[in-house]
Amino acid sequence: IDGSADATSKRRLLESWIIRDPTGVFSNDDNNYLHRSERHTRALAKFVRLVELCRAAGVGGKKSNSDTSSSSAVNHLEGEIIATPEFLTLVNAISDDPFPTSLHWVMFVPNILTLCDAEQQAQWLPLCRDWKMIGCYAQTELGHGSNIRALETTAKFLKESDGAAPGGEWVVNSPTLTSTKFWPGTLGKTANHAMVIARLIDGSGVDHGIHNFLVPLRSMEDHTLLPGVETGDIGPKIGYNNMDNGFARFENVRIPRRNMAMRFAVVDEEGVYEKVGAKKKGGSGDAASKVAYITMMQVRAYIIHSSNDALAMACTIAIRYSTIRRQGYNADADKKHAENAPNEIQVLDYRQQQYRLLPLLAASYAIFFSGKHVLARLKNIENELVSGSTAITKTIVGDIHATTSALKSYATAFTADGIEDCRKACGGHGFLVSSGLVELSNTYLQSCTVEGDNYMLPQQVVKVLLKLVGAMQSGDAALLKDHK
């Protein structure tokens, strides 16, 4: 699983940092008795300690072994830890407490890396590295989720001659109740910036559809809300309550012109919009939409990959319990009793229990390797697009979309059901919160809905498959070639 014996030894060493940490902050002994606000605070304290451990060990230094991608700017930023395999290993080691800061490295920083130009990255990435800028990804609204083309939040360009600051500004607004940003993780309490997905309206009043804008939410000095920004936590959920899923509304919030992500599209000081790719000979100008789409699909791939963690934890608890728990007698019970040997059967020795649990354990391995493959494939596609390659066609993007949609739907549904089966396999003890299975199940349930509902995603797969069937029937050689 780790790739080599040395890698496994390194993983176990990193996990020991958490297990043996002298501060005791990583203890989960009283988690079940804490209010969700206290859990949020405790999780932030754990994260701060994790960063301290990484800094002390030199994770993310000049010669870090974590430079796995030469095209990723964050890997070349000295002191940055979030892109390192060591950091991700340590995050997984603190499995009981999802971090409220996780959207910062899962979506916020990747969006800066892929959609912002070099000048913007040079300005913002050091702030992200030093945790002065803590970000979230604000796309979903109260009225629209999957239908991103219908998002209502607006960013209207204001020229300097019309009263804006030098160079022009964007005026961000939530024009309707349904345009309220709703559900983004890290937004409620933790983030001081958001990558807001809003409709770009240029200096001539033309709507160019959704684009990314970096919007300050709170002061980087004292964390107070900035003028025109209303945000907060949306309240308790079934699970995943360490995460401060939040809401946000904007009223005439002004941000600099350069706070628009400008790697693939630009707006000049006069409010004129232009796609960067369209400037090149033969350029289609659609690289931005592809990259943005790939970035969103990477989150879906992370969900697939993390399904293994949740299912593996549930299997570990249930199988260990079934090994220790004894129930019923076998034919040699009297003989064993005479020899002072255990005269009850291990629950795991029953074929019924094996049938319930061992296929789930095997599936966790399959999900792990599937998720790992999809993540690598998406990263390769992203690198190709960012480098300006024209080899990545819409067909290829559609194909990986179908793959992630199918795997996300299947893996999350299978895992959610599998965790519940593991809980039931532990009998009455599985009903105890202290078993770990109750919170694990409740927290995981969000994966079946987030980043695409599990009943909606298979329809996306069918759409791609029907298109492929049509290509085969019509003999569309170009389309079939892309699918090989």
Side-chain angles (χ1 to χ4, degrees):
I1 289 181
D2 296 306
S4 68
D6 288 342
T8 297
S9 297
K10 184 177 181 179
R11 172 176 59 80
R12 289 173 177 168
L13 174 62
L14 291 169
E15 291 171 346
S16 72
W17 295 1
I18 305 302
I19 297 170
R20 300 172 185 172
D21 182 65
T23 67
V25 72
F26 296 114
S27 171
N28 296 318
D29 289 349
D30 58 352
N31 273 8
N32 297 329
Y33 302 95
L34 296 177
H35 185 271
R36 63 182 298 261
S37 296
E38 296 172 306
R39 288 287 299 272
H40 176 264
T41 302
R42 171 76 68 83
L44 286 175
K46 290 182 178 183
F47 182 73
V48 170
R49 178 57 181 163
L50 175 60
V51 173
E52 291 174 351
L53 291 173
C54 289
R55 296 276 189 250
V59 173
K62 285 184 178 179
K63 300 293 289 184
S64 174
N65 293 327
S66 58
D67 290 342
T68 57
S69 172
S70 60
S71 64
S72 180
V74 74
N75 283 329
H76 298 132
L77 187 64
E78 183 181 350
E80 181 58 273
I81 64 173
I82 61 173
T84 64
E86 294 92 344
F87 175 77
L88 297 177
T89 297
L90 289 166
V91 168
N92 287 334
I94 311 173
S95 56
D96 289 66
D97 268 330
F99 288 129
T101 48
S102 62
L103 271 295
H104 176 81
W105 67 80
V106 171
M107 294 199 75
F108 183 73
V109 171
N111 268 263
I112 293 177
L113 284 167
T114 55
L115 297 177
C116 296
D117 64 27
E119 182 182 334
Q120 292 173 318
Q121 291 187 38
Q123 178 183 356
W124 295 327
L125 289 178
L127 295 173
C128 293
R129 173 199 61 194
D130 297 336
W131 297 99
K132 294 178 180 178
M133 179 182 286
I134 302 173
C136 65
Y137 182 80
Q139 174 178 293
T140 300
E141 296 177 353
L142 190 60
H144 297 93
S146 300
N147 185 14
I148 58 175
R149 290 182 297 178
L151 295 179
E152 299 175 86
T153 302
T154 59
K156 186 175 182 179
F157 187 77
L158 186 67
K159 300 177 186 178
E160 183 179 346
S161 59
D162 293 331
E169 293 178 306
W170 297 103
V171 182
V172 182
N173 273 293
S174 304
T176 63
L177 176 63
T178 52
S179 68
T180 303
K181 295 298 181 183
F182 203 87
W183 277 111
T186 310
L187 173 62
K189 298 180 180 180
T190 309
N192 55 28
H193 284 72
M195 186 64 77
V196 174
I197 313 304
R199 309 194 70 82
L200 187 157
I201 301 174
D202 69 12
S204 300
V206 178
D207 186 337
H208 291 275
I210 59 170
H211 284 69
N212 293 43
F213 298 86
L214 189 71
V215 180
L217 304 173
R218 297 178 173 93
S219 166
M220 288 194 287
E221 301 299 326
D222 60 11
H223 208 61
T224 55
L225 282 175
L226 297 177
V229 177
E230 179 187 359
T231 186
D233 188 276
I234 63 174
K237 306 175 291 287
I238 293 176
Y240 206 49
N241 279 304
N242 283 7
M243 177 58 72
D244 52 323
N245 295 87
F247 69 90
R249 288 187 55 79
F250 307 101
E251 184 177 354
N252 296 322
V253 175
R254 294 194 180 192
I255 59 175
R257 175 180 64 89
R258 290 281 298 164
N259 274 36
M260 166 195 167
M262 289 193 175
R263 186 171 202 156
F264 298 104
V266 296
V267 171
D268 66 19
E269 295 183 3
E270 294 302 314
V272 178
Y273 175 90
E274 186 172 13
K275 290 186 176 181
V276 174
K279 295 180 179 179
K280 301 177 182 179
K281 185 177 180 180
S284 65
D286 66 348
S289 60
K290 290 179 182 176
V291 171
Y293 200 37
I294 291 296
T295 302
M296 286 189 286
M297 280 194 281
Q298 282 180 334
V299 180
R300 195 176 292 164
Y302 280 123
I303 293 172
I304 297 167
H305 195 255
S306 65
S307 296
N308 150 76
D309 296 329
L311 185 56
M313 279 191 282
C315 288
T316 299
I317 295 170
I319 290 173
R320 285 180 177 175
Y321 173 82
S322 300
T323 302
I324 299 301
R325 178 74 169 182
R326 294 177 179 273
Q327 190 77 29
Y329 295 95
N330 59 27
D332 298 324
D334 293 336
K335 180 180 178 182
K336 287 186 176 182
H337 182 70
E339 297 173 354
N340 293 320
N343 61 354
E344 284 190 276
I345 303 171
Q346 288 177 308
V347 172
L348 192 59
D349 283 339
Y350 287 99
R351 289 184 180 179
Q352 174 180 305
Q353 193 76 342
Q354 294 173 10
Y355 180 78
R356 296 175 78 177
L357 298 178
L358 299 186
L360 296 176
L361 179 63
S364 71
Y365 282 91
I367 293 171
F368 171 83
F369 288 110
S370 297
K372 187 175 182 180
H373 172 77
V374 170
L375 279 170
R377 174 65 174 145
L378 283 167
K379 192 62 181 177
N380 288 337
I381 293 175
E382 180 188 83
N383 290 339
E384 288 278 336
L385 289 170
V386 170
S387 67
S389 171
T390 58
I392 305 301
T393 64
K394 288 185 177 181
T395 301
I396 293 175
V397 174
D399 187 58
I400 193 67
H401 165 66
T403 300
T404 56
S405 295
L407 282 174
K408 188 269 181 182
S409 177
Y410 179 79
T412 55
F414 186 92
T415 298
D417 291 342
I419 295 172
E420 177 63 8
D421 285 341
C422 287
R423 187 194 67 76
K424 292 174 181 176
C426 292
H429 292 297
F431 195 66
L432 277 171
V433 174
S434 60
S435 71
L437 290 166
V438 177
E439 183 171 355
L440 178 61
S441 178
N442 288 347
T443 292
Y444 185 78
L445 285 175
Q446 56 98 20
S447 297
C448 297
T449 302
V450 69
E451 296 302 321
D453 177 75
N454 281 1
Y455 274 82
M456 181 272 293
L457 288 180
Q459 297 177 40
Q460 302 292 310
V461 181
V462 171
K463 180 179 178 180
V464 173
L465 292 176
L466 288 176
K467 185 176 181 180
L468 185 57
V469 169
M472 293 182 67
Q473 291 176 338
S474 64
D476 189 336
L479 185 58
L480 292 174
K481 182 180 179 180
D482 280 341
H483 279 283
K484 287 184 178 180

